[in-house]
């Protein structure tokens, strides 16, 4: 008979196991500036959570806590059950193998060409053969509508192209948890719509969990299951997509009134 090592904690209630990311009363300040102010947030397995909110309100800082690039001053961030304030480097590396992230500014490495930028997570984290890596790189660049730019350097690309190369890199390991910081910023409407469709298609695959930061309603409509409005480091409104969009909450109306979508 086959024996398996069970890694799931069977003592936890089912709903507990389905939480992929949890922020519990998380505060973070830089100098005297409070950025996250008692943030509570959960992301459930298989869902796409969209985070909206005014500029400077802590959206990117929130994602940086999930990746383990920032630690809370107080409160707790857990990702797949790991306390990100205490996680050991080896566990963090393992966790990141299953996590893809697109930074707001794409964060490409200036001295590497597009091929090497996109291949980086595979070369750093896997033993994949070089032939297979190159095939994957080309497939992901096709997916973001950027064939034939393998040898270009980041400085030769437009902002929108850099963003899409960053997206190809985020997807290259085929992660189960994907974090997108403003995936449409700087893209023309047609490409923006195709990136939204791509995010939606990826999410249809089994058990992909996504967090998307955006200020575009077109993106919310295409990709979201649930939406939160963040303001001054706290969630001020939260709901399933349709409920959220139908809400007459004054902070939402003001936010939408101020945005250009
Ligand atoms: N490493 C850092 N050091 C100091 N201050 C920081 C740092 N990172 C972020 N901040 C500050 O934290 C606040 C929130 O920043 P964050 O990047 O999370 O905003 P945001 O909601 O993503 O805004 P935007 O919509 O403009 O991207 C800002 O005032 C920012 O200047
Ligand atoms: Mg940001």
């Amino acid at each position: 008979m086959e024996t398996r090592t069970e890694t799931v904690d069977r003592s936890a209630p089912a709903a507990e196991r389905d939480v992929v990311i949890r922020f519990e009363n998380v505060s973070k300040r830089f100098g005297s500036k409070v950025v996250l102010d008692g943030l509570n947030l959960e992301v459930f397995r298989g869902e796409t959570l969209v985070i909206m909110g005014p500029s400077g309100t802590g959206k990117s800082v929130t994602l940086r806590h999930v990746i383990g690039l920032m630690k809370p001053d107080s409160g707790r961030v857990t990702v797949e059950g790991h306390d990100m304030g205490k996680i050991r480097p080896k566990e963090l590396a393992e966790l990141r193998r299953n996590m893809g992230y697109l930074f707001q500014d794409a964060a490409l490495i200036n001295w590497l060409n597009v091929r090497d930028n996109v291949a980086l997570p595979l070369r750093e984290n896997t033993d994949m053969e070089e032939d297979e890596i190159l095939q994957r790189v080309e497939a992901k660049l096709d997916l973001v509508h950027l064939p034939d730019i393998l040898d270009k350097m980041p400085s030769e690309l437009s902002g929108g192209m850099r963003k899409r190369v960053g997206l190809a890199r985020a997807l290259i390991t085929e992660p189960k948890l994907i974090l997108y910081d403003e995936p449409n910023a700087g893209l023309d409407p047609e490409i923006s719509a195709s990136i939204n469709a791509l995010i939606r298609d990826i999410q249809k695959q089994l058990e992909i969990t996504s967090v998307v930061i955006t200020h575009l309603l077109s993106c919310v409509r295409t990709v979201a299951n649930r939406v939160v409005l963040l303001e001054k480091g706290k969630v001020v409104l939260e709901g399933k997509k349709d409920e959220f969009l139908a809400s007459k909450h004054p902070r939402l109306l003001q936010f939408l009134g101020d945005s250009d979508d």
Side-chain angles (χ1 to χ4, degrees):
M1 199 170 71
E2 193 190 14
T3 53
R4 288 194 307 155
T5 312
E6 192 60 83
T7 52
V8 177
D9 177 10
R10 291 283 169 204
S11 62
E16 201 52 38
R17 288 201 306 270
D18 287 334
V19 174
V20 177
I21 301 170
R22 171 173 280 140
F23 281 68
E24 288 169 275
N25 208 15
V26 171
S27 294
K28 179 74 177 175
R29 61 166 73 204
F30 296 103
S32 61
K33 188 175 169 56
V34 175
V35 176
L36 301 185
D37 188 13
L39 176 65
N40 288 297
L41 188 68
E42 282 168 343
V43 184
F44 299 99
R45 192 169 313 283
E47 78 168 345
T48 298
L49 177 77
V50 167
I51 302 178
M52 305 189 90
S55 184
T57 213
K59 303 182 299 295
S60 296
V61 165
T62 299
L63 277 200
R64 284 174 183 271
H65 279 78
V66 176
I67 305 163
L69 292 175
M70 285 180 179
K71 293 189 194 314
D73 295 335
S74 60
R76 194 152 67 127
V77 178
T78 47
V79 180
E80 295 286 14
H82 295 280
D83 183 335
M84 299 306 283
K86 296 182 184 151
I87 193 166
R88 285 199 275 265
K90 204 170 154 217
E91 290 172 329
L92 182 60
E94 174 68 32
L95 192 61
R96 282 187 183 157
R97 265 198 274 284
N98 293 309
M99 213 192 264
Y101 36 93
L102 171 63
F103 289 98
Q104 190 162 8
D105 60 0
L108 302 183
I109 297 174
N110 286 332
W111 59 89
L112 295 180
N113 65 19
V114 166
R115 179 191 292 105
D116 293 339
N117 260 289
V118 177
L120 198 65
L122 291 176
R123 290 189 179 140
E124 281 192 338
N125 299 317
T126 72
D127 301 323
M128 197 178 276
E129 297 287 334
E130 204 47 27
D131 284 358
E132 202 184 337
I133 290 182
L134 294 179
Q135 271 177 21
R136 269 238 207 155
V137 167
E138 289 185 24
K140 294 304 175 211
L141 285 169
D142 274 349
L143 212 56
V144 298
H145 307 281
L146 285 178
D148 310 324
I149 62 155
L150 288 161
D151 293 311
K152 293 221 185 301
M153 300 304 286
S155 60
E156 298 175 85
L157 307 176
S158 71
M161 287 165 95
R162 276 202 288 275
K163 195 95 206 183
R164 284 182 283 154
V165 173
L167 182 55
R169 188 177 61 186
L171 302 176
I172 194 81
T173 59
E174 302 184 343
K176 292 283 190 200
L177 171 60
I178 315 180
L179 313 166
Y180 305 89
D181 198 343
E182 297 278 3
N184 319 79
L187 304 183
D188 64 47
E190 202 177 319
I191 298 281
S192 178
S194 73
I195 295 298
N196 290 340
L198 174 65
I199 294 172
R200 185 196 55 206
D201 291 348
I202 291 165
Q203 160 208 346
K204 281 191 191 142
Q205 297 167 38
L206 209 57
E207 292 207 324
I208 300 278
T209 308
S210 315
V211 181
V212 183
I213 296 176
T214 187
H215 62 278
L216 292 178
L217 283 175
S218 55
C219 179
V220 178
R221 288 199 185 95
T222 309
V223 310
N225 299 124
R226 211 155 56 84
V227 193
V228 299
L229 178 65
L230 203 68
E231 218 178 82
K232 298 188 178 139
K234 277 197 186 86
V235 172
V236 293
L237 180 67
E238 166 178 6
K240 289 187 180 152
K241 174 171 65 181
D242 294 340
E243 289 165 15
F244 183 93
L245 291 174
S247 166
K248 298 279 179 263
H249 192 288
R251 306 310 299 152
L252 179 66
L253 296 181
Q254 182 177 14
F255 173 69
L256 295 178
D258 290 345
S259 74
D260 52 8
D261 185 37

